[in-house]
Amino acid sequence: MPVPTVRDDVRERIIAAAAQLLEDEGVSAVTTRAVAEHASTQAPTIYRLFGDKDGLLDAVAEHALAQFSAAKAAALSTPADPVDPVEELRASWRETVGFGLAHPDLFLIISDPRRGRDSAAMVTGIRVLEERLRRVAAAGRLRIPVPDAVTLVHAAGTGAVFALLEQDVAARRLNLAETLMETVLAGILVDTPLPRTDAVDPPARAAAVTLRATAHDLTALSPSEQALLSEWLDRVIDTSE
């Protein structure tokens, strides 16, 4: 494990000071002068480490998102846990909306597409969402491809937070986020899981049987590719019995 350096300590102190100012007073309070004062350092140090105020805000957002994404990854159930993947997805949605409403200025920074494209923490968060939806698909409950479901759920969750933040806090209708979530789920989920041939067969077997029956009709594949696909599907079917 790398040993923290003096530079690392100063950087973390500056990020913590900026994060506290952002939380307490909003983005306008995060000036280099105020951050330097709260972090017991000099403004030139901030410029040297982060370039400018935007660079500092990027670092604050990345730090907070990394912590949030790590917590969500740690909360993923293990294969031994009998957790309904759809309920796990619902819980994750609520956590994200709650995080955004509790940290509005931070959420606005995190959700800026220009920052998200280069964010390792954002990539981690999307991968956690992808894993949750892959589990929903593995349970035979997803009607669309996982990447499409990731895009829809992520976009709807972000949009729900933005819409609620535009409302006055006293008049905020939190139930609208739940309504949006259920609307999205209704569009991407099937009501009944794919059938199983017995109590232990995974839903993947039913899908493999269906695709195997039509493998030779897949004109996008060459005859040799069709044969190879059929061989793979036969293996899936056989090992599921």
Side-chain angles (χ1 to χ4, degrees), residues 101-126:
L101 296 181
H103 310 282
D105 290 286
L106 180 60
F107 189 83
L108 291 174
I109 296 170
I110 289 172
S111 302
D112 185 337
R114 294 169 297 178
R115 288 184 166 96
R117 282 194 296 266
D118 300 321
S119 169
M122 180 66 78
V123 170
T124 299
I126 293 296

Side-chain angles (χ1 to χ4, degrees), residues 15-16 24 26 34 36 57 59 68 73 121 171 189 192 205-206 215 232 234:
I15 290 175
D24 294 342
L57 289 174
F68 183 61
L189 300 180
T192 306
R205 184 179 188 279
W232 287 342
D234 285 337

Side-chain angles (χ1 to χ4, degrees), residues 69-149:
S69 296
K72 295 188 76 172
L76 278 169
S77 62
T78 65
D81 296 329
V83 178
D84 181 345
V86 174
E87 290 306 314
E88 199 168 36
L89 179 62
R90 282 191 174 97
S92 178
W93 172 291
R94 293 182 182 115
E95 288 173 4
T96 299
V97 171
F99 176 84
L101 296 181
H103 310 282
D105 290 286
L106 180 60
F107 189 83
L108 291 174
I109 296 170
I110 289 172
S111 302
D112 185 337
R114 294 169 297 178
R115 288 184 166 96
R117 282 194 296 266
D118 300 321
S119 169
M122 180 66 78
V123 170
T124 299
I126 293 296
R127 285 177 178 168
V128 173
L129 175 58
E130 186 177 67
E131 172 59 18
R132 293 191 190 283
L133 284 160
R134 188 200 65 77
R135 295 182 182 191
V136 173
R141 296 293 310 278
L142 197 62
R143 71 167 73 246
I144 65 175
V146 169
D148 292 348

Side-chain angles (χ1 to χ4, degrees), residues 5-6 20 34 83-84 113 128 130 135-136 149 152 164 167 181 215 234 240:
T5 63
V6 173
Q20 193 64 57
V83 178
D84 181 345
V128 173
E130 186 177 67
R135 295 182 182 191
V136 173
L152 288 173
L164 290 172
Q167 298 177 353
M181 174 179 65
D234 285 337
S240 297

Side-chain angles (χ1 to χ4, degrees), residues 5-29:
T5 63
V6 173
R7 177 189 175 92
D8 293 332
D9 180 67
V10 172
R11 189 176 191 278
E12 290 179 7
R13 198 166 72 241
I14 292 172
I15 290 175
Q20 193 64 57
L21 283 168
L22 182 67
E23 183 77 13
D24 294 342
E25 303 178 45
V27 67
S28 62

Side-chain angles (χ1 to χ4, degrees), residues 139-202:
R141 296 293 310 278
L142 197 62
R143 71 167 73 246
I144 65 175
V146 169
D148 292 348
V150 169
T151 298
L152 288 173
V153 172
H154 176 63
T158 301
V161 175
F162 283 157
L164 290 172
L165 288 177
E166 290 175 355
Q167 298 177 353
D168 183 77
V169 175
R172 191 171 287 167
R173 297 176 60 190
L174 299 179
N175 63 303
L176 294 180
E178 293 287 318
T179 300
L180 179 56
M181 174 179 65
E182 294 305 326
T183 301
V184 172
L185 293 183
I188 68 175
L189 300 180
V190 295
D191 294 333
T192 306
L194 292 174
R196 303 172 182 235
T197 56
D198 59 48
V200 296
D201 277 349

